[in-house]
Amino acid sequence: MPDDELLRSTLREQWHLVPSKITERPKSVMSRGWDVTAATGRYVARLAESGARQPMEAGLVAAEHLRLRRIDAGEPIRTLAGALTVETAEGALAVQRRLPGRHLDGRDPVDQQWWGERLGVVHKALQGFRHAGLRPWQLPDPDAPHLDAEPWLRGTVTAAVAAATRLTVTDQLTYGTLHGDPGADVFVLDPDTGRSGLLHCGACGTGPLVYDVAAAVAYAGGPDHAAELLDGYLAAGPVRHDELDAALPVLLRLRWAVQADRAARRGCANALDAARVALESMP
């Protein structure tokens, strides 16, 4: 993660933004983020791994696509040179104008309805979206050396990958553009207007849309805590109820396996332990 001075200097040099306040956003799986206040307004700055620069730019273009369809999404702010992102010593940095409103609370049933509904609207609006930076979803490599970090890890990841592979071969799933990391705090609700929107589109890729739903359900604390989220999604999204019922358990296990794989690769013991606990609690 860049230190405060690196972030400030990059924002000043590349975007001509002079922050009066920078607040780190809650941690997510795919990127780090900060709320930035400057004289010209409020912004969200996001940092992704250098290898995810193209998917991040695809997400920025996806946000522009949504805005053209009158769906509230954070407006990408290009650098002074006209680029969508800039490469730093810590990764690729992007800036978007922050939508007005408060973050959704994933524990609140009403907010969960907004959360699921907006994710469904975004999935539907991005059907047919194309960008060179969109990457097909990639399953973890069961032979990766870092999976030796814990005795349970390789077998768990291997089983999750095998189940997901069988699902994609035997079931007819709905594919499309994935957000990749659709936590509740990625969405906002403006109490003054009643409008809800998406702060950013993540590091976009393509894959089964239920994988995005599984990621949201994982953030909500599992299926037992996500009933309103799922109802909201089914009311607005392109995935049918029968597909969601069949695919969600498999892709939720895969989501936790992906998080365990990333945690082991980065040497994050706490995140690895959290993934293990979640996987062990699943039926």
Side-chain angles (χ1 to χ4, degrees):
M1 185 179 83
D3 59 30
D4 186 68
E5 182 52 39
L6 175 59
L7 184 58
R8 286 179 179 275
S9 63
T10 305
L11 291 173
R12 184 173 59 250
E13 294 167 8
Q14 298 294 333
W15 281 275
H16 207 197
L17 289 176
V18 180
S20 58
K21 183 179 179 181
I22 296 178
T23 305
E24 186 173 5
R25 291 175 43 75
K27 294 180 181 178
S28 63
V29 175
M30 304 300 293
S31 65
R32 305 297 298 271
W34 299 265
D35 287 322
V36 177
T37 302
T40 51
R42 298 179 65 195
Y43 305 87
V44 175
R46 290 190 302 122
L47 182 79
E49 298 174 353
S50 295
R53 184 175 185 178
Q54 285 188 318
M56 176 185 260
E57 292 195 351
L60 295 166
V61 177
E64 293 177 334
H65 178 92
L66 293 173
R67 291 171 58 82
L68 288 173
R69 281 151 182 77
R70 300 183 182 279
I71 296 171
D72 289 350
E75 176 191 0
I77 305 299
R78 293 179 179 266
T79 68
L80 298 176
L84 284 166
T85 62
V86 65
E87 192 68 39
T88 75
E90 301 294 336
L93 189 68
V95 174
Q96 290 177 262
R97 195 174 300 279
R98 193 197 186 285
L99 294 176
R102 62 169 179 83
H103 296 287
L104 295 184
D105 182 351
R107 299 165 298 179
D108 181 88
V110 176
D111 276 15
Q112 273 204 16
Q113 282 276 353
W114 283 109
W115 183 9
E117 187 269 347
R118 282 295 92 183
L119 182 58
V121 165
V122 167
H123 278 173
K124 187 170 286 187
L126 290 177
Q127 287 184 306
F129 173 71
R130 298 287 184 270
H131 187 275
L134 287 176
R135 296 179 181 173
W137 73 321
Q138 293 182 331
L139 300 178
D141 177 9
D143 297 322
H146 61 259
L147 295 182
D148 289 329
E150 295 286 348
W152 58 271
L153 184 56
R154 188 178 302 279
T156 300
V157 171
T158 299
V161 169
T165 301
R166 286 195 300 272
L167 177 73
T168 58
V169 170
T170 59
D171 288 52
Q172 192 169 14
L173 302 180
T174 305
Y175 280 67
T177 300
L178 300 175
H179 180 283
D181 213 20
D185 68 303
V186 172
F187 299 84
V188 293
L189 175 66
D190 186 350
D192 294 333
T193 64
R195 294 178 67 89
S196 58
L198 179 67
L199 287 180
H200 63 79
C201 286
C204 274
T206 58
L209 295 181
V210 179
Y211 184 71
D212 251 3
V213 180
V217 168
Y219 276 117
D224 293 342
H225 304 280
E228 301 298 330
L229 164 66
L230 295 173
D231 284 348
Y233 182 82
L234 286 169
V239 176
R240 298 193 309 266
H241 199 293
D242 55 348
E243 179 184 341
L244 188 65
D245 284 347
L248 182 59
V250 176
L251 296 184
L252 182 58
R253 182 174 292 277
L254 177 67
R255 173 67 175 188
W256 281 116
V258 167
Q259 292 194 223
D261 173 80
R262 290 177 63 87
R265 179 160 52 88
R266 294 177 172 182
C268 300
N270 290 341
L272 184 57
D273 189 56
R276 177 186 60 79
V277 171
L279 285 161
E280 289 178 350
S281 69
M282 294 185 65

